[in-house]
Structure formats: structure tokens, C-alpha cells
Amino acid sequence: MSNIKLIIEERPANIGNFMVGRLLPFREKRMVGPFSFIDHMGPAAMSDHENLDVPPHPHIGLSTLTFLFEGEITHKDSLGSDIVIKPGQVNWMTSGSGIVHSERTPEYLRHTDKMLHGLQIWVALPKALEQMEPEFCHVEEADIPNWTQNGVHFKLIAGEAFGYKSPVPVYSPLYLLELKSTKREKVNIGDYLFGESALYILEGVIESDGHIFEPRQILIANDAKLCEFTMHENTTVYIFGGEPFPEERFIYWNFVASDRELIEKAKIKWLEQTFKPVPGETDFVPLPNQNPYLKK
């Protein structure tokens, strides 16, 4: 019997002036553990007059994780954070009761040719912490645990697994792992995983239960304890998951909550522009007329 419960194909989505590949949420699988949203950005080649410009927009009830493969993004938020995200670093912003942030091409790259490629991920907060005070954490690449096991290079971007713990301050049991192979290797890591689990293929090929899988697909496992597959040479995959919450999570635009009333309050607050602003920013993303994440 196959351990693959569901295969999700990357779907195009527009986040303003930038196209991304949406992986979660999906109509048949809204979340994997606490992971509620994943966008694959790029790879996008931008000329000297093209830039990423996502104006200030709000979040509640979640942590955002930005992990870049190529390019740089300036992150600014309503806590006063102002930092450039570079490849291999982890940007972790916890919205809690509410935070506002913008994402733009850094000033020093705005008139140059550049690339942008990475993952943007939302991790829902447990119910007891949905209204916590917002926080921000930036982790350098050198501080992220990494090791080699049976010829495969591992990196623990967030959470706990394999006896390692990432310095990213997560709020529920989860894991986000990067696995890279240079040659064909069999991987059997089910003993190290827990909860719900999924695998995203960034590049290369994997084999599982006699089937071949290629990039831009998420494979949802029936049982994380049976996580076994073969990586072909020069393959990169991301394994993510953790303990699911007992309550359903509702998603409207950039808001995640276990109670629809929290979302309604956040909508009104954004319409009235009473969220704490991002210092130095004057424009903003308007509230959409409909929920873009309820589409296929």
C-alpha cells in the first residue's frame, strides 16, 4: 500500500506585482500539521526596472517564515524591524493579535538585474497563543542546525527533529527540514518524524513506492512513520509537518484564526486603518472583496 495520501501540484497565484506557485492551502488539504500556507516564489529574473513591492499588509493568528534560495528582500514591520533577508537566513515574524509588514527589493538592488527565489510559509498559532503580542526573529544561516546522514545533507530550518532544535522560536511541535543529495540515495526518516507530514520537491527527482515524482509537487504522507523514498542525484526536498490542532482554522486573506469573529474584527481594524503602522511606509494593500485563498 502506498504511503502517499495526496499529491498537490503547484498552482499559479498573483501577490501584487509578483507571480508565485501556491502549494497550500488546497481544497482537499487545508493544512499539514500547523502549516497553513506555502508559496514558492520564483525563480524570477527581474530587470533593472522590476522590483518586488508588497506594501504594508496585516496578519493575525500565525507566524510567517521566509526562506530564500536566491535574491534579497527588505522586511519592515510595525514593531520597527527593518532588515534585509538573504539566502539561507530565516525570517520569522509572529503576528499574534496583529502585525503589519512590507516586503520590497532592497534599495541597493532596485536599479540592477536580479533574481528572487524562495519559500514563504505560514504556521498557525495554537489557540491559546492566537492573541499573543507580536514578535520578530531573524536567524543567520550559520545558526541553523545542519548535518550529513547517509550521504544526504540535512538542514533543520525550524522546529525539532533528529535530536536537533532550530533557534527559530516556534510555538507548537513542528519541523521544517531541507534535504539535499548529490548522488542517488535511499532515505528512511520515519522514525524521526511525528504528526502529519508532507514533502515538497524543489528540484531533482524522488522515487516512492515505484513511482517517480518531479519538482513543484507536494506529497502528503498517509503516515509520517513510513517516510521512506529515494532521492536521485542533485535533488532538493523540503519535509514539513507536526502535530495538528484539535480545532479548525479559518483563513481569510492574511488572517488565520480558530474563531471567525477574530477575523471579522481584524477586517474592520484594517478597513479603519487602526493597526499599528510600519514606520516610514505610507501606502497599504486594501482589504480584498473576496477571499483569494478559497479558490482552487
Side-chain angles (χ1 to χ4, degrees):
M1 179 180 173
S2 172
N3 188 40
I4 297 171
K5 180 179 182 179
L6 179 67
I7 301 168
I8 300 176
E9 300 281 350
E10 193 170 301
R11 301 156 336 268
N14 196 317
I15 58 166
N17 64 339
F18 198 75
M19 290 298 294
V20 298
R22 180 136 304 148
L23 293 155
L24 282 180
F26 185 66
R27 62 185 179 276
E28 295 172 42
K29 186 64 178 172
R30 309 305 297 177
M31 296 175 65
V32 176
F35 289 82
S36 60
F37 175 99
I38 299 179
D39 266 356
H40 176 206
M41 303 183 293
M46 295 185 285
S47 67
D48 58 4
H49 62 276
E50 294 176 310
N51 293 292
L52 175 71
D53 279 302
V54 181
H57 55 283
H59 290 282
I60 66 164
L62 55 84
S63 297
T64 63
L65 188 155
T66 302
F67 188 75
L68 298 180
F69 314 131
E70 292 180 90
E72 300 180 14
I73 296 175
T74 295
H75 164 98
K76 294 182 180 181
D77 64 41
S78 50
L79 295 175
S81 312
D82 184 346
I83 195 162
V84 175
I85 314 164
K86 298 186 178 183
Q89 300 173 339
V90 177
N91 219 56
W92 179 261
M93 181 185 75
T94 298
S95 63
S97 60
I99 199 167
V100 180
H101 75 133
S102 64
E103 299 157 289
R104 302 185 188 274
T105 299
E107 283 298 328
Y108 55 83
L109 294 178
R110 295 185 75 84
H111 303 291
T112 64
D113 293 343
K114 53 208 160 276
M115 292 290 295
L116 187 59
H117 191 199
L119 294 174
Q120 287 205 309
I121 295 169
W122 294 358
V123 180
L125 287 166
K127 187 173 183 177
L129 295 175
E130 282 184 308
Q131 292 291 289
M132 67 180 280
E133 289 296 311
E135 296 179 352
F136 175 78
C137 178
H138 183 82
V139 179
E140 296 293 337
E141 182 178 16
D143 296 327
I144 298 170
N146 69 92
W147 66 97
T148 299
Q149 183 171 314
N150 299 326
V152 175
H153 187 73
F154 287 72
K155 187 178 287 186
L156 181 61
I157 298 168
E160 292 187 55
F162 293 85
Y164 294 92
K165 182 177 182 179
S166 166
V168 174
V170 303
Y171 297 99
S172 67
L174 62 87
Y175 45 86
L176 173 59
L177 291 152
E178 176 189 84
L179 280 66
K180 282 183 174 284
S181 66
T182 55
K183 57 188 179 66
R184 187 184 179 98
E185 298 285 358
K186 188 171 184 179
V187 178
N188 187 346
I189 57 175
D191 290 343
Y192 302 95
L193 305 181
F194 56 88
E196 296 181 333
S197 190
L199 180 151
Y200 173 60
I201 307 165
L202 177 71
E203 60 185 357
V205 173
I206 73 161
E207 288 181 39
S208 178
D209 300 313
H211 299 282
I212 296 288
F213 299 98
E214 297 182 333
R216 298 178 182 263
Q217 292 181 323
I218 281 184
L219 310 180
I220 309 292
N222 268 313
D223 183 351
K225 296 295 183 186
L226 300 177
C227 194
E228 183 178 306
F229 54 91
T230 298
M231 298 177 71
H232 285 207
E233 62 181 13
N234 302 322
T235 292
T236 302
V237 302
Y238 291 85
I239 295 175
F240 62 95
E243 298 295 346
F245 297 130
E247 324 86 6
E248 183 180 0
R249 287 299 181 277
F250 303 104
I251 301 179
Y252 172 87
W253 192 37
N254 303 312
F255 305 142
V256 174
S258 61
D259 184 347
R260 292 184 189 274
E261 186 60 32
L262 292 174
I263 290 176
E264 291 305 312
K265 288 178 179 177
K267 287 163 66 175
I268 293 168
K269 194 174 176 182
W270 188 244
L271 284 168
E272 295 176 347
Q273 284 295 293
T274 52
F275 273 88
K276 187 177 178 181
V278 178
E281 294 270 21
T282 55
D283 57 344
F284 63 92
V285 180
L287 190 77
N289 292 326
Q290 60 181 343
N291 185 352
Y293 303 144
L294 291 182
K295 297 179 182 178
K296 284 186 180 181

